[in-house]
Amino acid sequence: MDLGIIAYAVPFLVIGAKTTLLIAVFGVGIGLPFGVAVGLARCSRSRVLRRVCDAYCAIFRGTPMLVQVFVIYYGLAQVSFIRQNPILWWMIGDGLNAAILAVVLNTGAYTAEIFRTAFLSLPKGLIEAAEACGMHPWHVFRRVKFPLAVRQALPAYSSEAAIIVKESSLASTITVLEITGYAKRLMSETFAIMDIFIVTAAFYLTINVVVLTGLKLLERRLSFAR
Amino acid sequence: KDGVLRIGTEGDAPKFSMADPSGKVTGFDADIANGICAELKLKCEFVVQTFSSLVPSMDKDRFDVIISGLGITAERQKKIDYSIPYATTPLYFAVSKDSPLAGLKSLAEIEKALQGKSVGVVTGTTYARFMEKRMHGADLKTYDAVTQLTADLASGRIDVAFADSPTWMDFFATPDGANFTRIDLKIMAMDDPDVLGHGMGVGMRKGNTELKTKVDAALCNMINDGKVKEASMRWFQDDYTIPCKK
Amino acid sequence: MLGDLWVLMVEQSWALALLKGSVVTIVIGLIGMALGFLVATPLAIMRWRKVVFVSQLVDGYSILVRGVPGLLVIYLLFFGSIEWVKAITAAFGYQDSADDAYPYLVGVIAIAVISCAYSIEVIRGALQAVPYGLLEAAQSLALPRGVTFIRITFPLALRLALGGINNVWQMTIKDTSLVSVVGLQELMRTAAIGAGITRSPLLFYCIAAALFFCMTAVSQTAFSSAERALDRGFRGR
Amino acid sequence: MNNVLKVHDLTKTFGSTTVLDGISFNMREGEVISLIGSSGCGKSTALRCINFLETPTSGRIECMGQSVSVVNDERGGSQIVNARDIRNLRRQIGMVFQNFNLWPHLSVLSNVTEALVWVLKLGKKDAEEVALSALSKVGMASFRDRYPQQLSGGQQQRVAIARVLAMRPKLMLCDEPTSALDPELVGEVLKVIRALAEAGATILLVTHEMRFARDVSNRMIFLQNGRLEQDDEPKELFRNPATEGVKRFLSTVMAANA
Amino acid sequence: MNNVLKVHDLTKTFGSTTVLDGISFNMREGEVISLIGSSGCGKSTALRCINFLETPTSGRIECMGQSVSVVNDERGGSQIVNARDIRNLRRQIGMVFQNFNLWPHLSVLSNVTEALVWVLKLGKKDAEEVALSALSKVGMASFRDRYPQQLSGGQQQRVAIARVLAMRPKLMLCDEPTSALDPELVGEVLKVIRALAEAGATILLVTHEMRFARDVSNRMIFLQNGRLEQDDEPKELFRNPATEGVKRFLSTVMAANA
Ligand SMILES: Nc1ncnc2c1ncn2[C@@H]1O[C@H](COP(=O)(O)OP(=O)(O)OP(=O)(O)O)[C@@H](O)[C@H]1O
Ligand SMILES: Nc1ncnc2c1ncn2[C@@H]1O[C@H](COP(=O)(O)OP(=O)(O)OP(=O)(O)O)[C@@H](O)[C@H]1O
Ligand SMILES: [Mg+2]
Ligand SMILES: [Mg+2]
């Protein structure tokens, strides 16, 4: 490894890491509640709602995120209606916003699947016990369904969180300079592909080790005595 | 391998290196490669790979040379060896026809006019560096490919784009590009070789001097007998050859 | 518009190339996923049983592989090993065939290594969620460990893991695009080349997405029926 | 006194098995009714229907006069009162489940305060006070910080009872509330139920302990194969079994008691 | 007759709470012993220790003479017999759990045949035959294709009993095997247990039904706060309670029965 190149690369990557974190934080912050809501909707009694959410999940899980990013950023930009609507254009006109939108939509679909199975596998009696004392569905959800589902979903969701951090790299294809954006530039400037790659990976690894260990600790904290 | 020259190339760069569905590579780079093979009496074997794996693959002897429009810069030369430069493409700014920038003439004027404007370039290119070094006040956006750059220029996300001349020839011919024009200021690599490099060269593993002398000689021959010009005219309708200094 | 499409797809035969790419994607995705799952299951079990030392190793592996970009995994695997392989195969005189086959091998292994790390977490989570009393019942009846696992623990855990495994599979099939860095023309890479040289990225990427969607739609029906089968007995109260 | 609960022609089928077959009875305020019958005769299902946890296939359930649930099977569909009405009703109906259904992620105390805080909107302090008093009624106050899975079967059952007691429901549905308790505790629970009834609560309980049922209830209802066979005062029921089924059931009970 | 089970100075603590405190007793072949005591006194834990589901903190359990489990807390660690020995023992020990623990993904029949096929290595046909005969003993043969969650509480309990019956264990540990059953069925189960005991099985059961216990058992063991307070023949126990605790427990039982 060439220390000179690494020393040159790190300051750029640090700047990029801030953007990566920004995307990831928004991705988790919006994507998790959104995904949980979709997961709930997929277990709901309304057939239409279920179908719509199923389709959404099928599409966003079934296609590569790169394509989703492209369609959202370049594809939608070709629709003049969207270009004229200030709110829509605010969402996709700017690369960073479009990236966050894509990450949220993508992770939402995966999160929904994780939580859907978690919700389906909850012992029904526990929910009935909550309903039987007249709890509002929202409270049933918040105090019984969600805490129990989270405990089961956490291992799988921790993977999803790590994926969000890594997939945020696709933002570099739509002009957002996060870690990978800078890394691409540095690589073609210096051709020190492996060196820069390894440093870049170290950045992602650091973020993810923090995320994954954090979630592991949370999991341990939440596990109740058997 | 005996009797074969293995060539790494990207395969997805229009006009330069295009791998068709059957895997056959055409384009300016392919012509240069075939020329070199003919000179060296070797059989050409193309290996199509993504850009970021080209250099490590060559390092590990998956192929012998990279011919993929690589610009020669001092920094890159720390990692790989280059042949002599054989061609360079002129660079232009493109703006929409009704833009006030359309009439500008000098780099200084442009630099001033670009303050606060968003400018698009393809990431990692020598001219992206150039933009960064020269256009301080501009909001630089980097793209992975020229198609994305031109798409954003068309959709109005960026005010100005900077790329090589073949890109603009292509783009202006499309319906989207009809409203755009290039600023009449030709920038060549020689204008600022420290940043823009010395033109395109063939990349080789470091220390492979035997091959380098052979390839250099072959290229020099091709330049001198007009083969490079021929290829350049074929793909770009213009002569981008850099004369052989030896 | 349709005429252009015809020219691109049929006359320039991009359709065929995309289909070929799909085959590479499916083959590598399936083998990688299956391999990963096979390895993940015992590892997850050991992690669940809290086997000393192995648990820590499994945790380390899973955090490491999930933490770094997939591209690095395949880069290190490929570029880290290729010299050795070259040397060894050259010694036996098989260098040419090794050169051709090795990228496939590494591609599959890399995909397996990645999907394995994700599968471990899914399986472990599901195993932990199986009510302990049900396993005690099996123990008290002296069911051998293996039988308990195959007949009781695994089916119950599988039901809980199915959604997660489905996620891992969908991710894995798309992760096959990583193998393009070792020179394999899978679906995404083919689409990227087509997008680049025909200058119609949206068209090619959307076709690729549609092909991916078809693959996952087929697997989705399989997962749905598996889910229904495993849900037998749980639909009561 | 008003009718707290009117059940009319309640029928419930699971697939092809008919579990409840046209059951009708009324409950007046302050009444304690025991639902008896052999295993699998539909007692739990009846309780679950009354609490709307199960949608009846047909029949009518009228609860607290306020709200009426009309269910028709004439057009093959069930029509139920809306979710909000059900919730309002449930606020006044407490249910002790046969298998307790304590929330495993909450401590004993939280299991009890949960509904107090979120349904009755008590403050945290008040809720804990109420909860502790309910817990001590069943002798579980000292286990307040344990988690359900760290409790013995009988302890779990007592927490489940306390969870409902704390809500002071107007109508209490208890599904074998003493199945895991020793005779001593059965006596305690008996006392608690009596006190509740005296304070005006209406209680419908499923039990297999005939003596307990006889002691505590104003009326006893005997179910067999989902059909209501007799609905009478305990004395009357024991003296004059209405059908062969009741007679046989009681005679084996008596034989066992002998 | 041999001692089937010898429990010596069994102690079990969870964290700081001592649940079992130096319990010792023996069981001879064909004996039926009832373990009684108030809720939370450690009955289930004792059963679980004997079946090695719980590792005792200290003490000694000797089972069927074959194998001895020596557990010491002197050096702070527990030393247990190896897993194979435990499995061999468990093959001859059956356990009916307080909360049934039926496997939800298997039909009633499969719940019973499972161990027959995999532990006793019966063929599929034979296993089903044995299973059905066990199921019919508890009146559940007609539910063979149902899943546990489609059964009532009492039906689940009966399947749990059949699952153990079918294995013809030498030693049966039953944790409140009749808690969810009506008196009629309690009588049936009583018969089954008697028949088993007469056929030579040894049965240790936890129960709250004093009459049932008195009728069925050769000896009764009273636990209080994890201590063994009395181990006597039923008559003797009822006549001469050894300690205040036993006396109080029995007196409330009697009062409840009155
Ligand atoms: N995991 C645990 N942690 C702490 N205490 C426990 C745990 N499990 C059980 N206990 C305590 O051990 C005691 C004995 O429990 P056990 O289940 O043996 O009681 P039991 O005699 O079977 O009572 P019941 O008749 O109510 O079933 C109880 O007081 C219980 O609270
Ligand atoms: N989901 C279901 N599908 C089919 N049959 C069911 C289902 N749930 C319950 N049953 C049947 O309905 C009948 C009544 O069940 P229920 O639980 O009401 O009985 P119970 O009177 O409470 O009996 P126990 O005293 O044993 O608890 C039983 O025969 C049971 O098998
Ligand atoms: Mg019941
Ligand atoms: Mg117990």
Side-chain angles (χ1 to χ4, degrees):
Chain A
M1 297 250 286
D2 183 340
L3 287 179
I5 285 175
I6 292 169
Y8 172 66
V10 166
F12 288 106
L13 295 178
V14 168
I15 302 172
K18 285 182 198 152
T19 314
T20 295
L21 280 177
L22 185 76
I23 299 174
V25 165
F26 273 95
V28 173
I30 307 174
L32 177 61
F34 174 63
V36 172
V38 175
L40 261 188
R42 290 182 70 190
C43 312
S44 86
R45 268 190 278 264
S46 155
R47 222 177 128 102
V48 182
L49 187 62
R50 232 169 35 215
R51 284 285 150 80
V52 169
C53 292
D54 280 354
Y56 154 73
C57 286
I59 290 171
F60 277 86
R61 292 193 312 143
T63 57
M65 184 161 164
L66 175 67
V67 180
Q68 293 161 20
V69 171
F70 262 62
V71 169
I72 288 173
Y73 186 80
Y74 295 110
L76 294 183
Q78 292 179 0
V79 184
S80 60
F81 160 74
I82 291 177
R83 255 186 289 179
Q84 264 122 47
N85 182 319
I87 298 173
L88 291 178
W89 189 241
W90 174 82
M91 284 213 286
I92 67 147
D94 176 47
L96 186 60
N97 291 356
I100 291 174
L101 178 67
V103 167
V104 165
L105 286 175
N106 187 270
T107 186
Y110 282 92
T111 309
E113 181 70 12
I114 293 171
F115 275 88
R116 184 183 69 90
T117 28
F119 285 131
L120 283 183
S121 64
L122 294 185
K124 249 183 156 177
L126 300 181
I127 296 159
E128 285 178 347
E131 284 170 355
C133 49
M135 272 199 197
H136 190 274
W138 165 243
H139 289 141
V140 177
F141 171 77
R142 204 166 70 88
R143 301 291 303 177
V144 180
K145 277 191 196 173
F146 185 69
L148 286 168
V150 146
R151 285 167 168 83
Q152 206 232 296
L154 213 50
Y157 186 76
S158 72
S159 298
E160 186 51 33
I163 291 174
I164 293 175
V165 171
K166 290 188 285 174
E167 298 266 82
S168 69
S169 67
L170 287 172
S172 69
T173 61
I174 54 173
T175 77
V176 180
L177 281 175
E178 34 66 85
I179 297 178
T180 299
Y182 278 110
K184 277 184 195 162
R185 199 179 99 190
L186 292 164
M187 281 185 207
S188 35
E189 264 176 25
T190 64
F191 278 12
I193 310 277
M194 284 308 263
D195 306 53
I196 292 181
F197 219 173
I198 289 173
V199 183
T200 309
F203 268 76
Y204 281 112
L205 185 63
T206 313
I207 299 177
N208 274 338
V209 164
V210 172
V211 170
L212 290 174
T213 343
L215 287 174
K216 196 146 257 179
L217 289 180
L218 181 66
E219 190 188 323
R220 199 170 301 164
R221 239 190 77 119
L222 286 182
S223 74
F224 39 82
R226 290 194 182 259
Chain B
K1 265 191 281 186
D2 298 339
V4 174
L5 184 66
R6 293 168 302 163
I7 297 146
T9 188
E10 279 174 274
D12 58 359
K15 302 220 162 170
F16 284 93
S17 164
M18 305 184 286
D20 72 6
S22 61
K24 212 173 129 237
V25 182
T26 54
F28 181 65
D29 286 336
D31 283 2
I32 297 292
N34 287 323
I36 293 174
C37 290
E39 289 282 337
L40 299 180
K41 307 215 164 41
L42 294 171
K43 208 170 139 276
C44 261
E45 192 180 289
F46 287 96
V47 179
V48 177
Q49 289 205 345
T50 53
F51 169 76
S52 61
S53 64
L54 282 178
V55 175
S57 294
M58 186 173 71
D59 271 346
K60 300 291 179 191
D61 196 24
R62 302 283 296 169
F63 38 75
D64 307 304
V65 296
I66 301 174
I67 305 183
S68 207
L70 298 185
I72 304 171
T73 69
E75 240 173 332
R76 291 170 175 181
Q77 270 172 326
K78 290 181 197 158
K79 281 286 164 186
I80 61 171
D81 279 351
Y82 276 102
S83 68
I84 55 165
Y86 53 86
T88 184
T89 48
L91 304 164
Y92 289 96
F93 290 93
V95 290
S96 88
K97 276 183 178 155
D98 46 16
S99 160
L101 275 68
L104 299 181
K105 290 276 183 282
S106 80
L107 208 55
E109 277 178 316
I110 293 175
E111 182 177 352
K112 209 140 124 235
L114 283 185
Q115 295 292 322
K117 290 263 164 35
S118 50
V119 185
V121 285
V122 173
T123 191
T125 52
T126 49
Y127 50 91
R129 292 277 312 273
F130 180 73
M131 283 283 95
E132 212 174 301
K133 287 258 154 75
R134 302 298 282 270
M135 305 288 145
H136 282 297
D139 173 18
L140 208 61
K141 302 256 189 222
T142 53
Y143 293 84
D144 282 356
V146 286
T147 41
Q148 296 162 22
L149 176 73
T150 53
D152 259 9
L153 186 62
S155 73
R157 279 198 184 102
I158 50 177
D159 306 308
V160 186
F162 187 56
D164 58 7
S165 148
T167 301
W168 298 133
M169 276 171 17
D170 264 6
F171 177 56
F172 296 151
T174 63
D176 272 348
N179 294 328
F180 293 86
T181 182
R182 64 190 198 192
I183 297 180
D184 195 16
L185 173 72
K186 178 171 165 183
I187 296 168
M188 297 295 289
M190 302 63 148
D191 296 348
D192 188 354
D194 283 347
V195 178
L196 283 174
H198 307 276
M200 290 180 265
V202 175
M204 280 160 289
R205 245 189 316 283
K206 227 158 168 46
N208 200 348
T209 39
E210 186 194 348
L211 185 64
K212 179 171 157 53
T213 32
K214 279 202 234 161
V215 171
D216 280 353
L219 275 174
C220 210
N221 284 344
M222 287 165 65
I223 292 168
N224 290 336
D225 62 17
K227 285 246 180 59
V228 176
K229 179 179 178 191
E230 195 182 304
S232 174
M233 292 305 289
R234 178 173 165 210
W235 295 102
F236 310 125
Q237 293 80 47
D238 205 346
D239 182 12
Y240 297 152
T241 316
I242 294 180
C244 174
K245 293 217 181 84
K246 271 190 270 178
Chain C
M1 174 67 208
L2 274 177
D4 292 350
L5 197 61
W6 174 264
V7 171
L8 274 180
M9 288 301 137
V10 181
E11 287 176 14
Q12 300 184 11
S13 66
W14 279 108
L16 192 66
L18 288 170
L19 282 180
K20 266 192 208 157
S22 306
V23 172
V24 175
T25 289
I26 292 174
V27 169
I28 293 188
L30 270 181
I31 301 179
M33 178 75 193
L35 211 60
F37 190 78
L38 278 183
V39 178
T41 308
L43 292 182
I45 294 169
M46 286 191 271
R47 173 66 185 74
W48 168 60
R49 282 275 182 83
K50 301 209 169 77
V51 177
V52 279
F53 193 58
V54 181
S55 292
Q56 281 75 18
L57 276 184
V58 171
D59 267 356
Y61 162 74
S62 128
I63 287 189
L64 189 70
V65 172
R66 288 185 302 152
V68 299
L71 216 46
L72 184 80
V73 175
I74 194 162
Y75 261 85
L76 290 183
L77 277 181
F78 187 70
F79 295 119
S81 68
I82 184 75
E83 271 167 350
W84 299 95
V85 173
K86 269 206 160 103
I88 292 169
T89 51
F92 290 96
Y94 290 113
Q95 191 176 348
D96 284 358
S97 46
D99 259 11
D100 294 340
Y102 194 60
Y104 283 91
L105 191 65
V106 171
V108 168
I109 290 177
I111 298 301
V113 164
I114 296 170
S115 76
C116 175
Y118 287 95
S119 298
I120 285 176
E121 291 306 308
V122 170
I123 301 171
R124 177 180 70 87
L127 285 172
Q128 281 171 354
V130 174
Y132 198 62
L134 300 180
L135 306 186
E136 284 185 336
Q139 278 176 29
S140 78
L141 285 165
L143 285 184
R145 272 193 196 178
V147 174
T148 306
F149 187 77
I150 290 168
R151 296 282 304 170
I152 312 291
T153 320
F154 195 67
L156 287 169
L158 197 58
R159 171 171 171 271
L160 301 175
L162 208 60
I165 293 172
N166 192 349
N167 271 354
V168 174
W169 160 244
Q170 309 244 2
M171 190 196 73
T172 301
I173 185 103
K174 286 177 272 161
D175 263 359
T176 53
S177 64
L178 297 178
V179 303
S180 65
V181 300
V182 296
L184 299 185
Q185 308 289 326
E186 45 63 58
L187 178 52
M188 270 314 264
R189 176 68 180 146
T190 313
I193 292 178
I197 71 182
T198 65
R199 298 183 190 79
S200 12
L202 270 180
L203 173 71
F204 270 86
Y205 282 136
C206 285
I207 291 175
L211 286 170
F212 270 113
F213 188 75
C214 291
M215 296 176 208
T216 49
V218 171
S219 60
Q220 197 60 46
T221 49
F223 272 102
S224 297
S225 51
E227 189 174 320
R228 243 171 291 130
L230 288 170
D231 218 28
R232 221 173 9 166
F234 287 92
R235 261 164 288 167
R237 46 179 85 152
Chain D
M1 263 187 278
N2 318 339
N3 273 328
V4 172
L5 177 72
K6 277 187 185 178
V7 175
H8 183 71
D9 203 19
L10 180 66
T11 301
K12 173 73 190 174
T13 58
F14 287 110
S16 59
T17 36
T18 303
V19 173
L20 292 178
D21 192 357
I23 286 180
S24 310
F25 65 93
N26 295 345
M27 285 187 79
R28 270 171 313 198
E29 212 177 306
E31 245 186 345
V32 179
I33 295 190
S34 296
L35 213 52
I36 59 170
S38 59
S39 168
C41 68
K43 306 179 293 294
S44 298
T45 309
L47 249 54
R48 292 167 55 82
C49 284
I50 293 169
N51 203 7
F52 304 99
L53 287 173
E54 213 80 67
T55 310
T57 313
S58 76
R60 207 145 75 92
I61 295 170
E62 203 169 313
C63 204
M64 319 253 171
Q66 306 172 332
S67 172
V68 183
S69 142
V70 184
V71 192
N72 275 309
D73 70 339
E74 277 156 35
R75 280 172 229 90
S78 308
Q79 177 197 335
I80 338 169
V81 287
N82 67 45
R84 178 117 66 88
D85 290 346
I86 290 187
R87 220 163 41 242
N88 277 332
L89 266 179
R90 282 180 179 160
R91 200 165 296 193
Q92 299 169 294
I93 306 179
M95 172 123 178
V96 181
F97 289 86
Q98 187 165 12
N99 50 355
F100 323 149
N101 287 336
L102 296 180
W103 299 305
H105 61 298
L106 297 178
S107 69
V108 164
L109 187 64
S110 306
N111 259 284
V112 182
T113 53
E114 204 57 27
L116 298 175
V117 172
W118 298 109
V119 179
L120 300 190
K121 313 278 181 207
L122 296 191
K124 196 170 168 252
K125 263 254 181 73
D126 293 346
E128 289 193 357
E129 215 164 274
V130 174
L132 281 176
S133 100
L135 281 171
S136 42
K137 270 188 198 146
V138 291
M140 289 297 297
S142 59
F143 293 85
R144 47 181 289 179
D145 293 324
R146 287 271 189 98
Y147 284 87
Q149 291 179 345
Q150 300 172 329
L151 298 179
S152 80
Q155 289 165 345
Q156 288 182 24
Q157 187 159 45
R158 286 183 277 162
V159 175
I161 294 173
R163 179 166 72 175
V164 172
L165 278 186
M167 292 285 289
R168 296 181 195 283
K170 284 222 184 96
L171 171 61
M172 234 174 116
L173 309 173
C174 304
D175 201 346
E176 307 195 20
T178 58
S179 63
L181 300 181
D182 57 275
E184 196 170 356
L185 281 167
V186 172
E188 294 293 316
V189 171
L190 183 77
K191 265 188 226 156
V192 172
I193 288 182
R194 267 209 192 110
L196 272 181
E198 268 153 32
T202 313
I203 297 163
L204 179 58
L205 54 87
V206 171
T207 185
H208 290 313
E209 314 228 8
M210 287 309 132
R211 208 163 323 96
F212 178 75
R214 198 179 54 193
D215 289 356
V216 83
S217 46
N218 303 99
R219 261 161 57 219
M220 288 172 83
I221 293 179
F222 180 82
L223 290 189
Q224 187 170 38
N225 291 331
R227 244 187 302 265
L228 192 154
E229 302 261 309
Q230 189 163 9
D231 173 358
D232 252 326
E233 286 181 10
K235 261 190 229 158
E236 192 58 26
L237 185 114
F238 278 91
R239 210 161 10 174
N240 295 323
T243 66
E244 267 312 300
V246 188
K247 199 181 267 173
R248 223 192 32 247
F249 185 79
L250 290 179
S251 72
T252 50
V253 173
M254 292 311 153
N257 280 9
Chain E
M1 262 186 282
N2 317 339
N3 272 330
V4 172
L5 178 73
K6 277 188 185 176
V7 175
H8 183 71
D9 203 19
L10 181 65
T11 300
K12 173 74 191 173
T13 58
F14 288 109
S16 60
T17 36
T18 303
V19 173
L20 292 178
D21 192 356
I23 286 181
S24 311
F25 64 91
N26 295 345
M27 287 188 77
R28 270 171 314 198
E29 213 177 305
E31 246 186 347
V32 179
I33 294 190
S34 297
L35 212 55
I36 59 170
S38 59
S39 167
C41 67
K43 304 180 294 294
S44 298
T45 309
L47 251 53
R48 290 167 55 82
C49 284
I50 292 170
N51 203 9
F52 304 99
L53 287 173
E54 213 82 65
T55 311
T57 313
S58 76
R60 209 145 75 91
I61 296 170
E62 201 170 315
C63 204
M64 321 255 170
Q66 305 173 334
S67 172
V68 184
S69 142
V70 185
V71 192
N72 275 308
D73 70 339
E74 276 157 35
R75 280 173 227 89
S78 308
Q79 177 197 335
I80 338 168
V81 287
N82 66 44
R84 178 119 65 87
D85 289 345
I86 291 187
R87 217 167 35 250
N88 275 333
L89 266 180
R90 281 185 183 152
R91 200 167 294 196
Q92 297 167 296
I93 305 179
M95 171 123 178
V96 182
F97 288 86
Q98 189 165 13
N99 51 355
F100 322 148
N101 285 336
L102 295 179
W103 299 308
H105 62 301
L106 297 179
S107 69
V108 164
L109 187 64
S110 306
N111 258 284
V112 183
T113 53
E114 205 59 28
L116 297 175
V117 171
W118 298 106
V119 179
L120 301 190
K121 313 276 181 209
L122 297 191
K124 197 170 169 251
K125 263 254 183 73
D126 294 345
E128 288 191 359
E129 216 165 273
V130 174
L132 282 175
S133 99
L135 282 171
S136 41
K137 269 188 199 146
V138 292
M140 289 297 297
S142 59
F143 293 86
R144 48 180 289 179
D145 293 326
R146 287 271 189 97
Y147 286 90
Q149 297 194 348
Q150 300 172 333
L151 298 179
S152 79
Q155 289 165 344
Q156 287 182 26
Q157 186 158 45
R158 285 182 277 160
V159 175
I161 294 173
R163 180 165 71 176
V164 172
L165 277 187
M167 292 288 290
R168 297 181 195 282
K170 283 219 187 99
L171 171 61
M172 233 173 117
L173 310 173
C174 303
D175 201 347
E176 307 194 21
T178 58
S179 63
L181 301 181
D182 56 275
E184 197 170 357
L185 281 167
V186 172
E188 295 292 315
V189 172
L190 183 77
K191 266 188 226 157
V192 172
I193 287 181
R194 268 210 191 108
L196 272 181
E198 268 154 30
T202 314
I203 298 163
L204 178 60
L205 54 85
V206 171
T207 185
H208 289 313
E209 313 228 9
M210 287 308 133
R211 210 165 320 96
F212 177 77
R214 197 180 53 195
D215 289 357
V216 84
S217 46
N218 305 98
R219 262 163 53 222
M220 287 171 83
I221 293 179
F222 180 81
L223 290 189
Q224 188 170 38
N225 292 331
R227 245 188 303 264
L228 192 153
E229 302 261 307
Q230 189 165 9
D231 173 359
D232 250 325
E233 287 182 10
K235 262 191 229 156
E236 194 54 27
L237 185 114
F238 278 90
R239 210 162 9 175
N240 293 325
T243 67
E244 268 310 300
V246 188
K247 199 181 265 174
R248 225 197 21 253
F249 185 78
L250 290 178
S251 73
T252 49
V253 173
M254 292 311 154
N257 281 8

